[in-house]
Amino acid sequence: MLLSSGAMAEAEPHLLTELQARARQHAAAARLEERARAGIDLAGLLDEAAGLVAQTLEVEFCAVLEAEQAAEAPLRVRAGVGCRACRARHATLEAGDASLAGLVLRSLQPVVVEDLGAETRFEPPRLLVEHGVRSGIGVAIRGLERPFGLLGTFTARQRAFTPDETHFVQAVASVLALAIGRIRAGAEQAHLQLACQQAARAEAEAASRALRQANEQLALASLRAQELADEAEAARRRLAFLAEASTQLGSSLDYETTLQRVVRLALPALADWCGVDIVEEDGQIHRLAVAHVDPDKDALAHELRRYPPDPSRPEGVPRVLRTGQSLLLPDVSDAMLEAAARDAEHLRLLRALAPRSSMVVPLLARGRSLGAISLVYSESGRRCGPDDLALAEELARRAAVAIENARLYLQAQEGVRVRDQFLSTAAHELKTPVTAIKGYAQLLRQWAPQGHEPREARAFEVINRQCDRLSRLVQELLEVSRLQLGRLELRRQRFELGELAAEVVERMQPLAPGHRLTLHRAARAAVEADRERLDQALANLLDNAIKFSPRSTVDSQQSTAAPSPQPSAPAGEIEVRVAVRGGEAVVSVRDQGVGIPRERQAHLFEQFYRAHAGTRHDFGGMGVGLHLSREIVARHGGRMWFESEEGRGSTFFFSLPLAAPGGTPFAGPTDPCIKT
C-alpha cells in the first residue's frame, strides 16, 4: 500500500540514506572480492577486510581472529584496526562454550551484541571490555573442515546494527572464507609439489629396491595435487561468479530488470532452468521471472507461471518461504512430479522439462522472506550438491538485497512523483489568493484617508511584505517542481555579470536596512546565460547572508576597483565580488554571520534541507533556495561551493564559463527557449 504524499516526503531522505548505505556496503564487498580474485596475499587481504568493514560501518574496532586446533585455545588476532594490541598481532580472544567466540564458532550464525554489559549468552571478552566496547557483530569465517576463525566489528557506542549491516559482515566473511580456502589449497599444493621433487631426488640416490615405493608416493602426491588444483580452480570460479553477480545486480534499480538478471545469472553455472517466486502483499506467491538454457524449452518454462506455488503446500517453495531454510533435492523422481502436479497439464509440462535434481533457496532481506529461487538441473545430467547449495545461497543473499533495493527505489520514485505533483498543484493554487490579497491590500492603502495612522501604514507594509515573501515561496515551489520534472527553462542572452550583481545588490539593500551590502567588480565578466535565473540564484545567496548575519546601521556601497585585502569585514557587512579566473566568471557572497556547523555542511545543497533547523538560528524557510540556486548554476555548465566556519560566517561561490569573444551585444535578444 502506497504511503500518503506527506509521509513519503518525510520518508524519502531515510529511504535514500538507506539505499546509499546499502550501495556503499555492496560496493565494499564487491571491491574486496576483486582484491581476493587478484591474488593478494592473505595478510594483506585480512588487513584490507578489517579496515574496509570498520570504514563502511563507521565503527572503531574490527578484527580478524584465527582459531587454534584446540577448541578451548584462545583465538589469535591476525588483522585488526582500532587497538594497539590488534595492530601488533599479539591480542587474543577467549574461546570455550561460555565465550563470544565459542558461541559464534559453535552455531556458525552471526551474533549481534547491542549492549555488552547486559549480555547473558556469554562472558564479556576481556579484550572488548578493556576497550570500552558496547555493541558489535561476530561472524564465523568458515572453512572446509572447521571454521578458520571469526570476523568481529565493534563500537564503544551502543548501537542497534541493522540486518543489512549483519549481511554485509557475513558477505565479507564469505569472501575471506573463499580466499583463505584458495590460498591454503595453493599452499598445500606447493608443499606437495615440493614433496614430489624431494621424492624424485631420493629416487636417483636410492637403490632399485625403493623405486616401486617412490613411484607409488609420486602417484599419490600427483593425485592429491590435482585434487587441490581442482579445489583452487573451483574456488576461483566461485569468486568470479559472485563478483560478476554483484556487479550485474548492483547496476540497475529497475525491479523487473533485477528479477530477470537473477534468473540469467544462475544459468548455466547453477541450473539448466531457473525461476524466481515473489511473495506479494496479500500473501500470494507469483513466479515473476523464469529462464531456460535451451531456447526451445524457454516457452515451456514460462508456461509453468500458470501454476504458482500454493502457500498451503507442505513442501517445495512454500516450505522454504515459511522456514527460511534452503531445500536440496539431489534426485527428483517421477513420483515427486506426480505429487507436485496440480492437474494433467501441469504434470505434462513438468515431465517435458525433465527435472533431475533441484534446490530452492530463500530470498531473505530485512528479516523477512521476499521470495525464493528455484534452480533445476535437467538435460545436463548434473546433480545438486552441498557446494552448489552454498553458492546458490550466496547468490540469493545478493539477489535479495538487490530486489529489496529495487522495491524501495520503486516506492521512493512513486513518492517523489506524488510529492512533485502535490507541490505543483499547491503552488498554482496558492498564487491566485496571494495575488488577490496583495491587490486588495494596495487598494485599501490607496482608499485610506490622507494622514492615516502610522500603525495602519505599517500594517499595510507588513501585509505587502509578507505577500511578497509568500509569492517567493510559491515561486520556489514551482521552480522545484519544474526542476524535478525536467522543465526548468533557460533563456540565454549575452550580458555582463557584474552589472547583474549591481542590480541585485541595489534592489536588495532597501530590504536589509540593518546590513551593509558592498559590491567589488575586479573585471568585466561577459557570460551567455539566463539573466533572470542567475538573478534568482544570486538573490537567494544574498537573502541567506542577510538572514544569518548580525545587523549594522551603515548603507550599501559599490566599488569597481579591486580592493586591497582586508583582515575581516565589519559585523553586518555582506560582500559581493565578481572576478575572472582562468576562463571563468566567479561570483562570491561573504557574510560575517553564524556560519554552518561542520557536521551539517555535507547536506547543505540537498533539497528541503535546513542547516539550522531546530537551533536558535532557525529562521524558518523551506530549504529549497540553495538547492535551486546550485541547480540553476549547474544547468549553465557552472558549479557552486562554499567555505564556512561556525561562528565566523560563510562565503558562497559560483562560477560560470565566460562567453566567447565577440557575439551579440549585452542584453540583446534572447535565444530560443532551452529546456534542461
Side-chain angles (χ1 to χ4, degrees):
M1 182 175 65
L2 288 175
L3 298 174
S4 68
S5 61
M8 285 306 300
E10 294 177 0
E12 181 193 3
H14 171 72
L15 291 174
L16 293 177
T17 299
E18 185 175 0
L19 286 174
Q20 291 168 354
R22 290 185 182 178
R24 288 195 302 271
Q25 296 166 11
H26 174 79
R31 187 160 67 251
L32 191 64
E33 287 177 349
E34 289 291 341
R35 294 287 289 156
R37 287 200 302 135
I40 184 175
D41 64 280
L42 180 57
L45 181 64
L46 298 183
D47 283 335
E48 285 195 16
L52 196 63
V53 171
Q55 180 183 11
T56 303
L57 296 186
E58 297 179 350
V59 296
E60 303 94 292
F61 312 103
C62 183
V64 180
L65 300 103
E66 181 178 5
E68 301 292 344
Q69 290 286 346
E72 297 294 328
L75 279 71
R76 180 169 54 89
V77 171
R78 289 291 303 274
V81 295
C83 72
R84 184 179 304 170
C86 293
R87 292 192 297 270
R89 308 290 194 273
H90 57 67
T92 60
L93 197 69
E94 300 90 338
D97 293 339
S99 67
L100 168 62
L103 179 59
V104 172
L105 299 181
R106 186 173 62 255
S107 65
L108 297 180
Q109 297 296 321
V111 174
V112 180
V113 179
E114 290 192 11
D115 187 350
L116 186 65
E119 251 323 313
T120 59
R121 294 172 293 178
F122 53 82
E123 289 291 331
R126 185 178 65 257
L127 180 64
L128 302 187
V129 173
E130 290 174 351
H131 286 83
V133 166
R134 293 289 303 278
S135 304
I137 304 172
V139 175
I141 302 174
R142 303 191 180 199
L144 291 177
E145 299 177 357
R146 63 182 184 84
F148 167 81
L150 179 145
L151 173 61
T153 179
F154 308 97
T155 176
R157 296 174 288 108
Q158 185 163 352
R159 171 174 171 182
F161 287 91
T162 67
D164 290 334
E165 292 169 331
T166 303
H167 292 156
F168 166 65
V169 179
Q170 285 182 283
V172 172
S174 297
V175 171
L176 294 180
L178 290 173
I180 290 168
R182 175 181 58 79
I183 292 171
R184 285 187 167 180
E188 188 174 353
Q189 180 182 0
H191 176 73
L192 287 173
Q193 288 175 344
L194 179 60
C196 292
Q197 294 171 0
Q198 292 173 344
R201 286 195 299 269
E203 285 180 11
E205 299 171 356
S208 59
R209 63 180 180 275
L211 181 60
R212 182 180 181 87
Q213 180 181 1
N215 286 336
E216 291 177 353
Q217 292 178 350
L218 180 60
L220 291 174
S222 298
L223 180 61
R224 179 56 179 159
Q226 185 59 49
E227 291 176 352
L228 291 172
D230 292 342
E231 291 176 6
E233 177 61 21
R236 187 198 63 79
R237 287 197 300 267
R238 287 195 293 270
L239 279 172
F241 172 76
L242 292 175
E244 177 65 19
S246 297
T247 300
Q248 290 200 31
L249 291 173
S251 63
S252 173
L253 285 173
D254 181 74
Y255 188 61
E256 296 294 334
T257 301
T258 300
L259 292 175
Q260 290 299 326
R261 282 181 176 170
V262 171
V263 295
R264 290 298 175 187
L265 280 168
L267 307 181
L270 287 171
D272 295 329
W273 56 279
C274 171
V276 175
D277 297 293
I278 298 296
V279 180
E280 302 294 349
E281 294 293 336
D282 59 2
Q284 295 300 307
I285 306 171
H286 295 286
R287 180 155 290 179
L288 300 185
V290 66
H292 199 293
V293 291
D294 185 352
D296 295 333
K297 291 192 174 182
D298 197 61
L300 283 175
H302 277 81
E303 285 190 53
L304 282 181
R305 298 173 69 174
R306 294 190 286 118
Y307 298 94
D310 183 354
S312 64
R313 296 290 290 261
E315 293 297 330
V317 171
R319 170 186 162 184
V320 171
L321 294 177
R322 282 194 302 272
T323 64
Q325 300 295 320
S326 301
L327 177 64
L328 177 64
L329 296 174
D331 296 291
V332 177
S333 65
D334 191 68
M336 292 179 180
L337 300 183
E338 292 178 352
R342 305 276 187 83
D343 52 34
E345 175 62 14
H346 191 194
L347 181 60
R348 183 190 70 79
L349 289 173
L350 291 174
R351 284 174 171 165
L353 289 168
R356 295 292 178 261
S357 183
S358 71
M359 52 188 170
V360 183
V361 292
L363 293 166
L364 302 174
R366 296 162 59 88
R368 65 187 185 93
S369 291
L370 304 179
I373 306 177
S374 298
L375 303 141
V376 183
Y377 285 131
S378 53
E379 286 86 348
S380 65
R382 296 168 59 186
R383 297 175 71 250
C384 302
D387 290 342
D388 297 311
L389 184 62
L391 188 59
E393 289 174 339
E394 286 293 335
L395 173 63
R397 182 179 295 123
R398 289 161 171 76
V401 172
I403 291 171
E404 180 69 359
N405 285 347
R407 272 186 171 180
L408 290 173
Y409 180 74
L410 188 63
Q411 294 173 1
Q413 289 294 97
E414 177 62 18
V416 169
R417 186 192 66 79
V418 172
R419 183 203 65 195
D420 291 341
Q421 184 177 9
F422 168 77
L423 289 178
S424 180
T425 303
H428 280 291
E429 291 296 325
L430 284 171
K431 286 187 71 173
T432 301
V434 169
T435 304
I437 292 171
K438 183 177 177 67
Y440 277 108
Q442 292 172 347
L443 285 175
L444 287 173
R445 188 171 189 176
Q446 293 173 6
W447 294 341
Q450 294 294 326
H452 53 271
E453 293 290 334
R455 63 179 182 180
E456 294 177 354
R458 286 197 301 272
F460 286 132
E461 181 61 30
V462 169
I463 293 174
N464 190 58
R465 189 166 59 250
Q466 292 302 318
C467 284
D468 288 341
R469 180 172 181 269
L470 189 54
S471 295
R472 288 196 303 272
L473 294 177
V474 169
Q475 186 62 32
E476 285 184 348
L477 281 176
L478 283 172
E479 297 291 4
V480 169
S481 177
R482 293 187 186 115
L483 188 64
Q484 293 295 332
L485 297 174
R487 298 174 184 170
L488 187 68
E489 298 178 348
L490 298 180
R491 298 182 181 274
R492 295 181 183 270
Q493 65 184 96
R494 184 183 175 92
F495 62 92
E496 207 279 311
L497 192 57
E499 294 178 1
L500 173 65
E503 293 174 11
V504 175
V505 169
E506 183 178 1
R507 184 179 71 245
M508 295 196 68
Q509 178 63 73
L511 303 178
H515 297 80
R516 177 189 180 190
L517 310 186
T518 63
L519 172 63
H520 306 284
R521 298 160 61 183
R524 292 176 63 81
V527 297
E528 290 186 2
D530 188 316
R531 187 183 183 97
E532 182 179 345
R533 297 290 185 198
L534 290 184
D535 182 304
Q536 181 182 7
L538 181 54
N540 281 341
L541 296 182
L542 273 172
D543 186 58
N544 274 356
I546 293 168
K547 185 187 303 183
F548 295 106
S549 295
R551 298 168 63 87
S552 69
T553 57
V554 292
D555 297 327
S556 67
Q557 296 182 355
Q558 295 185 16
S559 170
T560 57
S564 59
Q566 300 273 341
S568 63
E573 179 172 314
I574 297 172
E575 295 180 348
V576 180
R577 295 178 180 269
V578 181
V580 174
R581 301 175 189 166
E584 289 185 321
V586 180
V587 178
S588 64
V589 177
R590 178 189 179 202
D591 64 62
Q592 301 296 314
V594 299
I596 304 163
R598 180 178 297 274
E599 67 273 11
R600 300 191 177 192
Q601 292 183 7
H603 306 285
L604 193 62
F605 289 114
E606 292 179 5
Q607 186 174 318
F608 302 119
Y609 183 79
R610 296 189 298 124
H612 296 287
T615 72
R616 62 190 180 92
H617 302 301
D618 188 350
F619 300 125
M622 295 189 300
V624 298
L626 285 177
H627 171 75
L628 189 59
S629 297
R630 187 178 70 165
E631 290 300 320
I632 289 173
V633 171
R635 277 160 170 72
H636 283 85
R639 59 195 180 95
M640 180 175 288
W641 69 99
F642 68 94
E643 298 172 357
S644 182
E645 183 177 350
E646 189 172 8
R648 299 178 66 88
S650 305
T651 304
F652 281 80
F653 305 84
F654 69 84
S655 64
L656 295 170
L658 290 173
T664 57
F666 291 148
T670 61
D671 292 336
C673 176
I674 300 173
K675 289 187 177 181
T676 64

